[in-house]
Amino acid sequence: MLKILLRIFFLCSLSFAINSESSEPSKNNHGISGLINLPNAYFADAGNASMTIFRGEPDRKYSFTFSPTNWMEGGFYYSDLTGQEYGGGYKQSLKDKGFNVKFKLKDQGKLPALAIGLNDFAGTGIYSSEYIVSSYKYNNFDFTFGLGWGTLNGNKLTNPFKYLSNSFEKRGNPKRGGGQFSTDSYFSGKAGYFGGIEYFIPKFHGA
């Protein structure tokens, strides 16, 4: 049992974040509630809108996210990939835009909160990924663990959905023309698990 737990720990794409105490969940660099490059199972309040700016290498990304209800987040992003050429004779880096969406399955109770979502689910599919994620708050710690496909499948596990249909075993080509949906790639191909820990710094109350 100990060997299994150690294997899960080291194979997880583990991220660690420190956040001040807040009622709104932190946003990842895709603009969706999450940790760094990972999603979590939390949602902003209904009517909330946010903008995030991420600057890294090779990605630079601007995202806009909206919460029309407390069980859904959706938004779009515009990215600049500095390591790739735009092509067509244009002397600039590659540009890309896409859409993300996440749906709540359940809130935290005795069991963790649970959500399902898709990143970059239409168009070029450079960041194409799907996931099922759980999150659990305990004191000042927040634990997230999930199963991902596409760009979130770093561990290359057998896809559990293949037992429902063989069509899930092979992932379609997500790179399509603008506005086209990649339905033959959703939750298909190899899967991988990911995890993260977030720590909320308590508010200091002076004497």
Side-chain angles (χ1 to χ4, degrees), residues 42 106-114 134-138 143:
Y42 301 124
K106 69 175 295 290
D107 288 315
Q108 178 177 325
K110 291 184 178 180
L111 297 176
L114 194 64
S134 63
S135 296
Y136 192 85
K137 287 186 172 74
Y138 182 76
F143 302 92

Side-chain angles (χ1 to χ4, degrees), residues 3-15 38 145-147 152-157 191-196:
K3 289 183 178 180
I4 294 174
L5 292 175
L6 288 173
R7 185 179 181 186
I8 291 174
F9 177 81
F10 285 111
L11 289 180
C12 274
S13 300
L14 182 66
S15 64
L38 305 176
F145 189 81
L147 186 67
L152 286 172
N153 74 342
N155 312 123
K156 305 295 184 183
L157 302 177
Y193 45 80
F194 57 86

Side-chain angles (χ1 to χ4, degrees), residues 108 136-143 198-200:
Q108 178 177 325
Y136 192 85
K137 287 186 172 74
Y138 182 76
N139 293 330
N140 289 337
F141 288 93
D142 203 333
F143 302 92
E198 190 169 17
Y199 178 73
F200 293 86

Side-chain angles (χ1 to χ4, degrees), residues 97-115:
K97 59 181 179 294
F99 302 89
N100 308 316
V101 67
K102 182 169 69 170
F103 300 97
K104 181 188 296 185
L105 298 179
K106 69 175 295 290
D107 288 315
Q108 178 177 325
K110 291 184 178 180
L111 297 176
L114 194 64

Side-chain angles (χ1 to χ4, degrees), residues 15-184:
S15 64
F16 180 77
I18 298 178
N19 199 355
S20 59
E21 192 172 18
S22 172
S23 60
E24 292 293 329
S26 58
K27 296 292 190 289
N28 62 24
N29 62 23
H30 298 291
I32 294 294
S33 296
L35 308 173
I36 309 176
N37 198 41
L38 305 176
N40 61 23
Y42 301 124
F43 294 77
D45 293 334
N48 182 283
S50 63
M51 175 182 177
T52 61
I53 299 175
F54 171 78
R55 184 181 178 89
E57 292 297 337
D59 296 12
R60 298 172 184 178
K61 187 179 294 182
Y62 305 87
S63 62
F64 302 87
T65 303
F66 309 93
S67 301
T69 72
N70 62 3
W71 52 264
M72 175 186 175
E73 278 187 353
F76 62 93
Y77 67 85
Y78 185 82
S79 65
D80 177 15
L81 286 80
T82 59
Q84 300 184 46
E85 294 184 358
Y86 191 90
Y90 294 96
K91 294 183 178 180
Q92 59 175 296
S93 55
L94 181 65
K95 305 298 188 295
D96 183 63
K97 59 181 179 294
F99 302 89
N100 308 316
V101 67
K102 182 169 69 170
F103 300 97
K104 181 188 296 185
L105 298 179
K106 69 175 295 290
D107 288 315
Q108 178 177 325
K110 291 184 178 180
L111 297 176
L114 194 64
I116 187 170
L118 300 91
N119 290 331
D120 197 8
F121 58 86
T124 59
I126 292 176
Y127 303 96
S128 174
S129 60
E130 306 82 45
Y131 56 87
I132 299 172
V133 62
S134 63
S135 296
Y136 192 85
K137 287 186 172 74
Y138 182 76
N139 293 330
N140 289 337
F141 288 93
D142 203 333
F143 302 92
T144 289
F145 189 81
L147 186 67
W149 292 260
T151 58
L152 286 172
N153 74 342
N155 312 123
K156 305 295 184 183
L157 302 177
T158 299
N159 189 344
F161 288 148
K162 77 171 189 175
Y163 299 107
L164 299 177
S165 172
N166 291 334
S167 63
F168 287 105
E169 288 192 80
K170 186 176 181 180
R171 189 173 183 84
N173 181 9
K175 296 186 177 181
R176 309 292 176 86
Q180 293 183 331
F181 293 94
S182 308
T183 55
D184 59 349

